[in-house]
Short mmCIF file of all heavy atoms in Angstrom, two decimals:
data_model
loop_
_atom_site.label_atom_id
_atom_site.label_comp_id
_atom_site.label_asym_id
_atom_site.label_seq_id
_atom_site.Cartn_x
_atom_site.Cartn_y
_atom_site.Cartn_z
N HIS A 1 6.02 2.26 -4.01
CA HIS A 1 5.45 1.54 -2.87
C HIS A 1 4.34 0.59 -3.27
O HIS A 1 3.63 0.69 -4.37
CB HIS A 1 4.57 2.63 -2.04
CG HIS A 1 5.53 3.51 -1.14
ND1 HIS A 1 5.45 4.88 -0.95
CD2 HIS A 1 6.63 3.18 -0.39
CE1 HIS A 1 6.35 5.36 -0.29
NE2 HIS A 1 7.09 4.39 0.18
N CYS A 2 4.20 -0.46 -2.46
CA CYS A 2 3.13 -1.56 -2.71
C CYS A 2 1.78 -0.81 -2.48
O CYS A 2 1.56 -0.05 -1.62
CB CYS A 2 3.40 -2.60 -1.69
SG CYS A 2 2.07 -3.81 -1.73
N ARG A 3 0.93 -1.26 -3.41
CA ARG A 3 -0.38 -0.68 -3.40
C ARG A 3 -1.58 -1.44 -2.61
O ARG A 3 -2.68 -1.18 -2.71
CB ARG A 3 -0.98 -0.43 -4.85
CG ARG A 3 -0.15 0.60 -5.62
CD ARG A 3 -0.29 1.95 -5.05
NE ARG A 3 -0.04 2.92 -6.00
CZ ARG A 3 1.24 3.51 -6.22
NH1 ARG A 3 2.28 3.03 -5.46
NH2 ARG A 3 1.35 4.44 -7.12
N ALA A 4 -1.09 -2.46 -1.79
CA ALA A 4 -2.05 -3.22 -1.09
C ALA A 4 -2.69 -2.37 0.06
O ALA A 4 -1.99 -1.75 0.88
CB ALA A 4 -1.38 -4.52 -0.50
N VAL A 5 -3.96 -2.37 0.05
CA VAL A 5 -4.68 -1.52 1.00
C VAL A 5 -4.69 -2.24 2.35
O VAL A 5 -5.20 -3.53 2.42
CB VAL A 5 -6.07 -1.11 0.53
CG1 VAL A 5 -6.69 -0.33 1.58
CG2 VAL A 5 -5.96 -0.37 -0.77
N LEU A 6 -4.34 -1.74 3.41
CA LEU A 6 -4.40 -2.26 4.79
C LEU A 6 -5.59 -1.91 5.52
O LEU A 6 -6.43 -1.00 5.14
CB LEU A 6 -3.20 -1.85 5.64
CG LEU A 6 -1.74 -2.11 4.98
CD1 LEU A 6 -0.74 -1.54 5.76
CD2 LEU A 6 -1.49 -3.59 4.73
N ASP A 7 -5.90 -2.64 6.59
CA ASP A 7 -7.04 -2.36 7.40
C ASP A 7 -6.86 -1.17 8.20
O ASP A 7 -7.72 -0.76 9.07
CB ASP A 7 -7.41 -3.57 8.30
CG ASP A 7 -8.11 -4.73 7.49
OD1 ASP A 7 -8.67 -4.41 6.38
OD2 ASP A 7 -8.08 -5.83 7.90
N GLU A 8 -5.78 -0.60 8.20
CA GLU A 8 -5.36 0.56 9.18
C GLU A 8 -5.84 1.86 8.54
O GLU A 8 -6.00 1.90 7.32
CB GLU A 8 -3.74 0.64 9.39
CG GLU A 8 -3.28 -0.68 10.01
CD GLU A 8 -1.75 -0.51 10.03
OE1 GLU A 8 -1.21 0.59 10.28
OE2 GLU A 8 -1.13 -1.46 9.95
N ARG A 9 -6.03 2.83 9.35
CA ARG A 9 -6.38 4.20 8.89
C ARG A 9 -5.28 5.13 9.43
O ARG A 9 -4.75 5.03 10.41
CB ARG A 9 -7.75 4.57 9.42
CG ARG A 9 -8.87 3.93 8.78
CD ARG A 9 -9.22 4.21 7.49
NE ARG A 9 -10.27 3.37 6.95
CZ ARG A 9 -10.77 3.51 5.67
NH1 ARG A 9 -10.32 4.43 5.02
NH2 ARG A 9 -11.71 2.79 5.24
N GLY A 10 -4.90 6.20 8.58
CA GLY A 10 -3.95 7.13 8.96
C GLY A 10 -4.53 8.22 9.94
O GLY A 10 -5.77 8.14 10.33
N ASP A 11 -3.81 9.22 10.35
CA ASP A 11 -4.27 10.25 11.16
C ASP A 11 -5.39 11.03 10.48
O ASP A 11 -6.29 11.59 11.14
CB ASP A 11 -3.10 11.21 11.54
CG ASP A 11 -1.93 10.50 12.41
OD1 ASP A 11 -2.39 9.59 13.06
OD2 ASP A 11 -0.86 10.94 12.45
N ASP A 12 -5.38 11.13 9.26
CA ASP A 12 -6.35 11.86 8.40
C ASP A 12 -7.55 11.04 8.16
O ASP A 12 -8.59 11.54 7.54
CB ASP A 12 -5.70 12.37 7.07
CG ASP A 12 -5.16 11.22 6.26
OD1 ASP A 12 -5.21 10.09 6.57
OD2 ASP A 12 -4.59 11.61 5.16
N GLY A 13 -7.58 9.78 8.59
CA GLY A 13 -8.73 8.90 8.36
C GLY A 13 -8.81 8.09 7.09
O GLY A 13 -9.70 7.45 6.80
N LEU A 14 -7.82 8.43 6.24
CA LEU A 14 -7.73 7.70 4.87
C LEU A 14 -6.98 6.44 5.13
O LEU A 14 -6.30 6.18 5.99
CB LEU A 14 -7.06 8.51 3.91
CG LEU A 14 -7.76 9.88 3.58
CD1 LEU A 14 -6.83 10.69 2.63
CD2 LEU A 14 -9.05 9.64 3.09
N ALA A 15 -7.22 5.39 4.10
CA ALA A 15 -6.65 4.12 4.19
C ALA A 15 -5.04 4.22 3.99
O ALA A 15 -4.59 5.29 3.53
CB ALA A 15 -7.10 3.36 2.89
N MET A 16 -4.45 3.22 4.45
CA MET A 16 -2.97 3.01 4.43
C MET A 16 -2.61 1.99 3.41
O MET A 16 -3.21 0.94 3.41
CB MET A 16 -2.45 2.72 5.76
CG MET A 16 -2.85 3.73 6.87
SD MET A 16 -1.84 5.23 6.83
CE MET A 16 -0.29 4.55 7.70
N PHE A 17 -1.49 2.23 2.72
CA PHE A 17 -0.91 1.23 1.76
C PHE A 17 0.16 0.46 2.59
O PHE A 17 0.77 1.04 3.54
CB PHE A 17 -0.49 1.85 0.55
CG PHE A 17 -1.40 2.29 -0.39
CD1 PHE A 17 -1.52 3.67 -0.78
CD2 PHE A 17 -2.41 1.36 -1.03
CE1 PHE A 17 -2.46 4.02 -1.69
CE2 PHE A 17 -3.40 1.82 -1.73
CZ PHE A 17 -3.37 3.10 -2.16
N CYS A 18 0.49 -0.68 2.04
CA CYS A 18 1.57 -1.54 2.55
C CYS A 18 2.91 -0.77 2.73
O CYS A 18 3.49 -0.70 3.77
CB CYS A 18 1.78 -2.79 1.73
SG CYS A 18 3.25 -3.74 2.11
N GLY A 19 3.39 -0.05 1.66
CA GLY A 19 4.56 0.78 1.68
C GLY A 19 5.83 -0.04 1.38
O GLY A 19 6.86 0.65 1.20
N ALA A 20 5.75 -1.34 1.30
CA ALA A 20 7.12 -2.05 0.93
C ALA A 20 7.39 -1.70 -0.58
O ALA A 20 6.47 -1.39 -1.24
CB ALA A 20 6.67 -3.47 1.12
N LYS A 21 8.54 -2.03 -0.97
CA LYS A 21 8.90 -1.83 -2.29
C LYS A 21 8.16 -2.80 -3.16
O LYS A 21 8.22 -4.03 -2.97
CB LYS A 21 10.47 -1.87 -2.57
CG LYS A 21 10.98 -1.63 -3.87
CD LYS A 21 12.42 -1.66 -4.01
CE LYS A 21 12.87 -1.33 -5.36
NZ LYS A 21 14.25 -1.54 -5.59
N LYS A 22 7.53 -2.30 -4.28
CA LYS A 22 6.72 -3.19 -5.09
C LYS A 22 7.68 -4.01 -6.07
O LYS A 22 8.70 -3.73 -6.43
CB LYS A 22 5.62 -2.44 -5.93
CG LYS A 22 6.13 -1.51 -6.81
CD LYS A 22 4.99 -0.82 -7.51
CE LYS A 22 5.23 0.04 -8.72
NZ LYS A 22 4.13 0.57 -9.39
N ARG A 23 7.08 -5.16 -6.43
CA ARG A 23 7.70 -6.12 -7.30
C ARG A 23 7.71 -5.50 -8.76
O ARG A 23 6.80 -4.81 -9.13
CB ARG A 23 6.95 -7.31 -7.27
CG ARG A 23 7.39 -8.40 -8.14
CD ARG A 23 6.58 -9.69 -8.01
NE ARG A 23 6.75 -10.49 -9.31
CZ ARG A 23 6.20 -11.72 -9.34
NH1 ARG A 23 5.53 -12.14 -8.40
NH2 ARG A 23 6.53 -12.42 -10.37
N LEU A 24 8.75 -5.81 -9.58
CA LEU A 24 8.88 -5.37 -10.85
C LEU A 24 7.70 -5.85 -11.72
O LEU A 24 7.51 -7.02 -11.74
CB LEU A 24 10.22 -5.81 -11.53
CG LEU A 24 10.46 -5.27 -12.87
CD1 LEU A 24 10.59 -3.68 -12.84
CD2 LEU A 24 11.81 -5.92 -13.39
N GLY A 25 7.00 -4.94 -12.34
CA GLY A 25 5.85 -5.34 -13.26
C GLY A 25 4.56 -5.61 -12.41
O GLY A 25 3.61 -6.15 -12.99
N SER A 26 4.55 -5.32 -11.14
CA SER A 26 3.41 -5.52 -10.40
C SER A 26 3.07 -4.24 -9.53
O SER A 26 3.85 -3.34 -9.46
CB SER A 26 3.63 -6.66 -9.35
OG SER A 26 2.55 -6.89 -8.60
N SER A 27 1.90 -4.19 -9.02
CA SER A 27 1.49 -3.13 -8.21
C SER A 27 1.78 -3.35 -6.77
O SER A 27 1.44 -2.54 -5.86
CB SER A 27 0.00 -2.65 -8.43
OG SER A 27 -0.28 -2.33 -9.71
N TRP A 28 2.24 -4.63 -6.36
CA TRP A 28 2.34 -5.07 -5.04
C TRP A 28 3.68 -5.49 -4.78
O TRP A 28 4.47 -5.90 -5.74
CB TRP A 28 1.35 -6.07 -4.77
CG TRP A 28 -0.03 -5.82 -5.14
CD1 TRP A 28 -0.89 -4.89 -4.60
CD2 TRP A 28 -0.83 -6.34 -6.21
NE1 TRP A 28 -2.01 -4.72 -5.11
CE2 TRP A 28 -2.17 -5.67 -6.19
CE3 TRP A 28 -0.64 -7.37 -7.01
CZ2 TRP A 28 -3.09 -5.87 -6.98
CZ3 TRP A 28 -1.66 -7.65 -8.05
CH2 TRP A 28 -3.01 -6.97 -7.90
N CYS A 29 4.01 -5.57 -3.57
CA CYS A 29 5.33 -6.22 -3.03
C CYS A 29 5.23 -7.73 -3.22
O CYS A 29 4.13 -8.20 -3.53
CB CYS A 29 5.50 -5.87 -1.54
SG CYS A 29 4.40 -6.59 -0.45
#
């Protein structure tokens, strides 16, 4: 999963990550 932190919060109140498939050699999509 992409590690980009979004401005959204989950039901537990914790941050949400982008969730897209990350790029090869990177932490992000």
Side-chain angles (χ1 to χ4, degrees):
H1 286 135
C2 174
R3 295 294 198 272
V5 180
L6 304 176
D7 286 340
E8 301 175 33
R9 296 285 177 175
D11 296 334
D12 53 4
L14 297 176
M16 301 283 279
F17 284 124
C18 167
K21 186 176 179 188
K22 66 182 191 174
R23 179 181 160 175
L24 184 65
S26 176
S27 296
W28 307 295
C29 64

